[in-house]
Each structure stands twice: as structure tokens, then as C-alpha cells.
Amino acid sequence: MGFSEILYEKDGPVLTISLNRPEQLNAWTRVMEREVHEAMTEATKDDSVRAIILTGAGRGFCAGADMNLLGGLQDEAEKAKSRIQTVMPVNNSIPGGLQLSRDYGMRYTYFPTVPKPILGAINGPCAGLGMVMALYCDMRFASDSAVFTTAFSRRGLIAEHGISWMLPALVGHANALDLLMSARKVRADEAKEMGLVGRIIETEKFMDECRAYAEELATMVSPRSMRVMKAQVYTALHQNLESAILTANSEMPGSFESDDFREGVAHFVEKRAPAFSGT
């Protein structure tokens, strides 16, 4: 596929999508927005892709919205209001992806509808809109040089694109208010302590270890199990316990009847590597 502001690189069953404006610390543009959505759509259709890494080219993940874009929004407030609502369609969920609630079909909230695990590999500065995109990844690993900031309050902005919901879900109410109101910079060790990231990795080993983890997901785990579990977890965020249990009960017969269940038992008994089909 031809992209101008991202890289789309397949290595066996692992796809790496890299935001690719390194001189601008991968500042977010409308072109990048469209291309990331197109890349996630292509990855969803491609059965050979079983795990996705989202990262940034160069020394940063994403420095937030490109300042030229912000400047344009400030110049024409009324037109900006219209642009914010119409740049991407209201239903932005991935075609052929998981059937989740409308919460996951908004402009930036669609990563959960991708039926494959998305690892956010935060390799450096992660700010503003870049932080929003990182939060919608299924899990986040940080290099020891990563720095996080919500940034919005220091630009006179508000908690945008659902970060006011997603951030407290990950780090708790008080930590979320701290990060949003102060917009202070948080290094990787504090981010991990809060629960914002799951793992810190030395910069020199960072991408190798991220790829190793993604490779393990892609080769050792049932794609069907991951697909169903991902839908369960994001649905459960809006359910009570009883509803989550009933959802699990409804999914169990299909798992017992699946090819992946048969392969899961067979490879364990035969002490060999699995060969899951995803069905």
C-alpha cells in the first residue's frame, strides 16, 4: 500500500505501523489520521496479520497535533467546529471488525474494533493527541526514554476525544485529574506505577522486545480466542458483572466447537508448537 505519513511493514504475522514524520516528532495531521485508519482496515482484512504494533519513527511516538493544524483551528472557530465534526465519519469503526457499541465507532475510538491485538510501542515523547491514540491501544509498552503529557490544559484546550473516560479507566480518578489538569510531563517509571503502561524496556532493546511479544501473540495464541476476548473486555467496560458472565456463557459453546480449541488441546498433548487457524 502507498502511504506518505506512516510506514506499513509486515514481518511474518506481525505488522508494524509507524507514524512517519520523525523531524516533527510524528506530529499528527489529517493525512496521518486517514492513513492510520486505512492501515488498520487493511490489517483487519489480512488474515496473515495476527498482531499489530503501533509506534513512531525516529526518537518519538507522537508529539500531538501538528501546530499548523491547531493554528488553523484557532483562526476560524466556527469552521473549526464543523471540521472537528466532519473530518472523519461518525461511524469510524473498522469495516469487518468487531461489532461493539457506538462508543468504539467515534473519530479516534475505533482501535478496539480491530479484531487483533494492538500494542502501543511508546518509544519517546507521547503528548496530546498522541496520548489519546496510545490509550486506545490494547496494551502499551514504553522505552525508558518515553515521556508522557496530556498537554491539553497548557494549550487552553479540554480533555479531548474520550480521554476523560479512558484515562481514569486505566490510572484511576485522582491520577487522571492530575495528568489532565497539570499536563505535567511523566516519565516511563511513573507511567508504569500508575498503570498507564505495562512494561518499561531499555531503549536499545525496545523494538526487539516489542516485536518478540507481538510474535508470541501471533504464533502461540489462538487468534479466535484473542478476537473474542478483546470484544468481551471492551464490552464489559459498559456491563455489570452479571452481564459479563452471561456474555462469557454465550461464547463458551462456540469455543468448545472451534478448530482452535481442538488445536489448543492437540499441541499441548503432543508437546509441539501450535498451528492455530483462527477458526
Side-chain angles (χ1 to χ4, degrees):
M1 301 184 68
F3 295 111
S4 62
E5 294 192 0
I6 68 169
L7 301 175
Y8 187 99
E9 301 169 302
K10 283 177 59 177
D11 183 6
V14 176
L15 168 67
T16 300
I17 299 171
S18 301
L19 310 181
N20 190 33
R21 302 180 71 224
E23 294 81 8
Q24 296 81 26
L25 284 177
N26 303 313
W28 192 264
T29 68
R30 293 194 182 115
V31 171
M32 187 179 285
E33 179 178 328
R34 184 184 69 250
E35 291 186 350
V36 169
H37 190 273
E38 290 173 357
M40 292 295 180
T41 300
E42 180 61 25
T44 295
K45 293 189 297 183
D46 187 346
D47 290 337
S48 69
V49 172
R50 294 194 172 183
I52 302 166
I53 298 171
L54 179 68
T55 193
R59 62 184 183 88
F61 179 73
C62 177
D66 186 277
M67 293 306 293
N68 291 327
L69 176 61
L70 291 179
L73 294 178
Q74 185 180 33
D75 291 342
E76 301 179 81
E78 287 305 313
K79 290 183 180 179
K81 197 180 302 182
S82 173
R83 283 200 297 270
I84 288 170
Q85 294 166 354
T86 62
V87 165
M88 298 294 286
V90 173
N91 182 7
N92 206 31
S93 55
I94 295 295
L98 299 177
Q99 298 300 301
L100 301 177
S101 71
R102 289 181 60 187
D103 301 88
Y104 303 113
M106 307 297 284
R107 182 176 178 185
Y108 293 115
T109 68
Y110 63 89
F111 282 6
T113 66
V114 177
K116 303 168 186 189
I118 302 173
L119 170 62
I122 315 302
N123 57 312
C126 177
L129 195 47
M131 183 115 156
V132 170
M133 302 311 296
L135 293 182
Y136 288 116
C137 293
D138 300 316
M139 60 281 290
R140 285 153 298 283
F141 291 175
S143 76
D144 56 11
S145 60
V147 179
F148 301 82
T149 173
T150 57
F152 299 116
S153 66
R154 300 199 180 198
R155 302 291 177 271
L157 300 171
I158 51 83
E160 296 180 354
H161 303 299
I163 194 174
S164 61
W165 186 90
M166 201 64 172
L167 190 57
L170 291 169
V171 304
H173 177 85
N175 283 331
L177 283 172
D178 167 25
L179 296 179
L180 287 168
M181 288 182 174
S182 72
R184 64 187 180 86
K185 293 181 179 179
V186 173
R187 302 200 68 83
D189 55 350
E190 187 179 1
K192 186 177 187 302
E193 184 179 347
M194 287 183 179
L196 185 59
V197 300
R199 190 180 300 180
I200 302 173
I201 304 168
E202 293 177 23
T203 299
E204 295 75 17
K205 303 176 182 177
F206 182 64
M207 285 310 299
D208 287 342
E209 292 201 23
C210 287
R211 289 190 185 99
Y213 177 79
E215 181 80 18
E216 184 173 358
L217 291 180
T219 59
M220 300 301 292
V221 180
S222 158
R224 184 186 187 280
S225 292
M226 290 194 290
R227 184 171 66 244
V228 174
M229 287 176 174
K230 182 167 178 174
Q232 284 181 273
V233 168
Y234 284 107
T235 299
L237 289 173
H238 306 279
Q239 291 178 314
N240 58 26
L241 177 58
E242 179 187 17
S243 297
I245 291 170
L246 292 175
T247 298
N249 291 346
S250 71
E251 291 288 355
M252 286 173 67
S255 68
F256 288 133
E257 296 167 3
S258 70
D259 292 337
D260 276 6
F261 173 67
R262 285 186 282 274
E263 174 59 15
V265 173
H267 89 82
F268 179 78
V269 170
E270 297 167 13
K271 295 181 172 56
R272 60 171 173 79
F276 290 115
S277 67
T279 60

